[in-house]
Amino acid sequence: QVQLVQSGPEVKKPGASVKVSCKASGYIISNTDISWVRQAPGQGLEWLGWISSENGNMDYARSVQGRVTVTTDTSTSTAYMELRGLRSDDTAIYFCARGVRGGPNDVFDLWGQGTMVTVSS
Amino acid sequence: DIVMTQSPDSLTVSLGERATINCKSSQSILFSSENKNYLAWYRQTPGQPPKLLIYWASTRGSGVPDRFSGSGSGTDFTLTISSLQAEDVAVYYCQQYYNAPPTFGGGTKVEI
């Protein structure tokens, strides 16, 4: 079964870091680009960043630039998103998503189940 | 960044009736040389991730029922559900992928 399986919920204090994983099964993660999208409680969707399967290039949203890093480990077919300097407004569900065409401006045909990250003192 | 604006914010439709959702982009997302609109639609049911319904503004995704159709070009787009089913109670999002960063509309909540 082709799917993206993400790590479990996280609770962090302001200023801490979180690293969310996204493991691909049923297909080879290195064949497709991965983006990360978040959704604050009751809100819409916000694209955060992208990593290329072809050359490892990355691109990030201005809203999190400098605080976010996306990586992939092809040996374990897993993508990661690390967000540093957490603030209360980073509280959200974080999704990984598979790009169809390649590039940061992509359409997403497969999504992880989401990881809830709560930032609270 | 391209701003995507959806309307209405919510709508109530009877089972078996038609639902129509609109999406407007702040600039054209038609790539003229390809004659393709870089517009996708997703459905998100409660507690689930988004599911791709439509891409290239009018092409249905894999396994998507034909009651879903997309239309429009340039800056104005529409998602139509021809005969609403119970499983269509969800929030629907449009998304442009013409430019980075990809951006989403604010969502339209469809209720019965």
Side-chain angles (χ1 to χ4, degrees), chain A residues 37 39 43-45 47 59 62 95 101 104-109 111-113, chain B residues 1 38 40 42 44 49-50 52 55-56 93 95 97-102 104:
Chain A
V37 175
Q39 186 170 38
Q43 301 301 308
L45 301 165
W47 178 87
D59 193 15
R62 279 192 295 275
F95 296 101
R101 301 171 51 247
N105 49 319
D106 209 341
V107 58
F108 309 113
D109 71 337
W111 294 64
Q113 83 276 19
Chain B
D1 298 357
Y38 282 52
Y42 300 85
Q44 186 179 31
L52 178 63
Y55 58 99
W56 299 131
Y93 294 95
Q95 178 226 332
Y97 49 104
Y98 184 87
N99 275 348
F104 297 85

Side-chain angles (χ1 to χ4, degrees), chain A residues 12-79:
Chain A
K12 297 290 183 180
K13 293 193 182 302
S17 299
V18 68
K19 192 169 186 177
V20 180
S21 68
C22 168
K23 184 174 177 60
S25 64
Y27 84 100
I28 300 173
I29 199 170
S30 57
N31 287 349
T32 63
D33 295 359
I34 293 289
S35 280
W36 289 85
V37 175
R38 72 180 175 183
Q39 186 170 38
Q43 301 301 308
L45 301 165
E46 178 190 17
W47 178 87
L48 297 179
W50 156 85
I51 185 164
S52 167
S53 62
E54 182 179 2
N55 54 24
N57 284 354
M58 296 162 282
D59 193 15
Y60 301 114
R62 279 192 295 275
S63 62
V64 291
Q65 183 89 38
R67 295 197 298 132
V68 69
T69 303
V70 296
T71 55
T72 54
D73 181 346
T74 55
S75 69
T76 60
S77 229
T78 304

Side-chain angles (χ1 to χ4, degrees), chain B residues 69-91:
Chain B
S69 63
S71 63
S73 185
T75 61
D76 293 279
F77 301 90
T78 300
L79 174 70
T80 301
I81 309 171
S82 61
S83 177
L84 195 79
Q85 305 300 302
E87 61 265 31
D88 299 331
V89 171
V91 180

